[in-house]
Amino acid sequence: MSVPQPPEPIPGARLLFSLDPAVSHLNHGSFGAVPIGVQRAQQRLRDEMESNPLRFFTQGLVDRIAHTRRHLATFLGADPDGSALVGNTTTAVAVVLQSVGLQPGDEVLSTDHGYGAVSLSIQRECRRTGAVSRVLPIPLDATDEQIVQAIRAGLRPGRTRLLVVDQLTSATARLFPTAAVVAVAHENGVPVLVDAAHAPGMLSTTVSSIGADFWAGNLHKWGYAPRGTALLAVAPQWRDRIEPLVVSWEQDAGFPARVEWQATLDYTSWLAAPAGLFTLRSLGVDRVRAHNAALAAYGQRVVGDALGVPPAQLPDPGGPGVALRLLPLPAGMATTIDAARALQTRIGERLATEVAVMSWNGRGWLRLTGQVYNTADEYERLAVRLPALLAQR
């Protein structure tokens, strides 16, 4: 099987970012990268804020936040009046968990592909309320139909109070059939929270078509927004029940204002987020998505060949447009979170290459991403140098 050809670079895209040119940044999925134009837009907002803080916070800021929310929600196909801006997806998950009214004996069901911080949040809320957290194992190579059937079998109507499922998993770079999962859960009377941290900007997402009770996604990863920008979309029947983690002056205004207004929070990341979408649209949304997915697939194959991983054993994300790709590391390597972090740091320091190293189900995995500032030779250099580094363990 021949190696897929890398996509043609998007002219000038690399110059839009202030990333260190001495480092290969192959881990856009963790913290994103903010284009220079978006950085400047946020700095102008910060300058405005610091020139007259009282005026900035007390004259029109709530309306500016609402206007920004409408812009971002419309891009994602979500109801602007049923969405709230939040700091990140993890925050949105915490808001939902403490708003659904868990009681002793209730169950929160999730899968073993879930994000670690989300799992910790579920566990904390269960300890606080007396509910139970149950994690459903899903094989990495499961088909969409097998995923749906596994979740159908794992639901306990009358006891399962909330299902938490990823749209695109962080740990395993796997696209889940989210709409089908939501439909199965609703057939059994179970509300669904979709963790869509990686969806905005990367995937052609129409939030309303998924039908979830709660959907949360970050715009500071693939949407080029400043960090600390995410959207929580809530179905109509739940909006009156959503409570913020911290009560502030917009509490009586109801959702979404009561969630968005957090006193002296730095709102400039939200207000500058439309500049990120402008950058994405200027490059061409479909063009960027196709480029990034093709480049990630190329990197997975090139590095996989170097590590001796047969193409048939390279995990398939299960859908077009996915710019995250996973590679199995040699057996016994990075089998714990601490070991994975140590290896990730070692690769960064010795190879001047930033990647994500994951530990999932007792196995170490390398996660690569593709972004418009990346080029094929960055993956090729990693492929040449990584085997020797791994052999030094």
Side-chain angles (χ1 to χ4, degrees):
M1 186 181 299
S2 61
V3 177
Q5 292 299 306
E8 289 294 324
I10 297 178
R14 178 65 180 82
L15 298 177
L16 297 175
F17 297 85
S18 55
L19 294 164
D20 184 351
V23 177
S24 293
H25 301 271
L26 308 182
N27 183 21
H28 187 87
S30 286
F31 299 104
V34 184
I36 295 170
V38 182
Q39 295 178 39
R40 290 174 176 169
Q42 184 179 16
Q43 187 57 53
R44 286 193 294 270
L45 287 161
R46 283 178 168 155
D47 291 343
E48 176 192 348
M49 177 173 61
E50 296 306 333
S51 70
N52 192 328
L54 185 64
R55 177 183 300 167
F56 181 86
F57 281 98
T58 64
Q59 297 184 24
L61 181 55
V62 171
D63 290 337
R64 293 172 76 177
I65 293 170
H67 176 76
T68 300
R69 182 210 321 132
R70 285 192 292 271
H71 185 100
L72 302 182
T74 300
F75 174 79
L76 295 171
D79 179 2
D81 295 326
S83 304
L85 294 173
V86 291
N88 50 47
T89 298
T90 307
T91 299
V93 168
V95 168
V96 172
L97 286 170
Q98 61 97 40
S99 297
V100 296
L102 294 175
Q103 297 180 4
D106 287 344
E107 174 184 272
V108 178
L109 180 65
S110 59
T111 79
D112 60 352
H113 294 251
Y115 186 59
V118 170
S119 299
L120 292 172
S121 188
I122 292 171
Q123 293 166 18
R124 186 189 71 168
E125 191 63 18
C126 286
R127 286 195 302 269
R128 190 181 72 82
T129 61
V132 176
S133 171
R134 186 161 62 90
V135 179
L136 189 66
I138 303 288
L140 185 60
D141 59 354
T143 65
D144 284 357
E145 180 60 26
Q146 289 170 335
I147 292 172
V148 172
Q149 291 306 321
I151 290 175
R152 184 193 303 274
L155 294 169
R156 296 174 179 173
R159 182 174 179 186
T160 305
R161 190 69 181 82
L162 181 68
L163 169 65
V164 181
V165 65
D166 294 72
Q167 186 167 349
L168 176 62
T169 67
S170 176
T172 58
R174 181 66 166 83
L175 189 67
F176 270 36
T178 317
V181 168
V182 170
V184 164
H186 285 177
E187 289 172 6
N188 290 273
V190 177
V192 183
L193 164 59
V194 173
D195 177 347
H198 287 275
M202 184 204 297
L203 303 178
S204 181
T205 294
T206 301
V207 173
S208 60
S209 68
I210 295 173
D213 301 82
F214 316 98
W215 180 99
N218 294 323
L219 285 109
H220 54 241
K221 292 180 183 287
W222 305 91
Y224 299 151
R227 291 175 197 88
T229 306
L231 192 81
L232 168 63
V234 179
Q237 66 271 24
W238 289 98
R239 293 171 190 171
D240 289 343
R241 299 174 59 177
I242 297 297
E243 293 287 348
L245 299 179
V246 177
V247 173
S248 194
W249 287 104
E250 290 296 311
Q251 178 68 15
D252 291 340
F255 183 85
R258 65 166 48 155
V259 170
E260 292 175 332
W261 187 257
Q262 296 292 297
T264 50
L265 186 73
D266 184 349
Y267 298 97
T268 61
S269 60
W270 297 355
L271 300 181
L277 294 186
F278 176 81
T279 303
L280 181 59
R281 290 188 176 106
S282 297
L283 292 171
V285 178
D286 292 338
R287 183 188 190 190
V288 168
R289 287 171 177 162
H291 171 276
N292 292 348
L295 194 56
Y298 175 77
Q300 181 195 43
R301 183 63 186 278
V302 169
V303 179
D305 284 350
L307 296 180
V309 182
Q313 294 181 18
L314 294 174
D316 185 340
V322 177
L324 291 171
R325 291 281 177 152
L326 209 63
L327 287 139
L329 290 169
M333 181 170 289
T335 58
T336 66
I337 292 177
D338 288 344
R341 289 173 177 168
L343 178 58
Q344 178 174 304
T345 299
R346 191 151 58 102
I347 293 172
E349 292 176 347
R350 298 190 184 182
L351 304 186
T353 301
E354 299 296 350
V355 298
V357 179
M358 324 296 287
S359 177
W360 184 75
N361 278 3
R363 179 85 191 251
W365 303 84
L366 182 73
R367 194 189 73 186
L368 299 175
T369 63
Q371 188 48 262
V372 296
Y373 51 72
N374 293 130
T375 55
D377 65 291
E378 293 179 297
Y379 305 90
E380 294 161 2
R381 288 198 301 270
L382 178 63
V384 169
R385 302 173 65 194
L386 183 60
L389 183 144
L390 296 182
Q392 295 172 5
R393 59 176 177 158

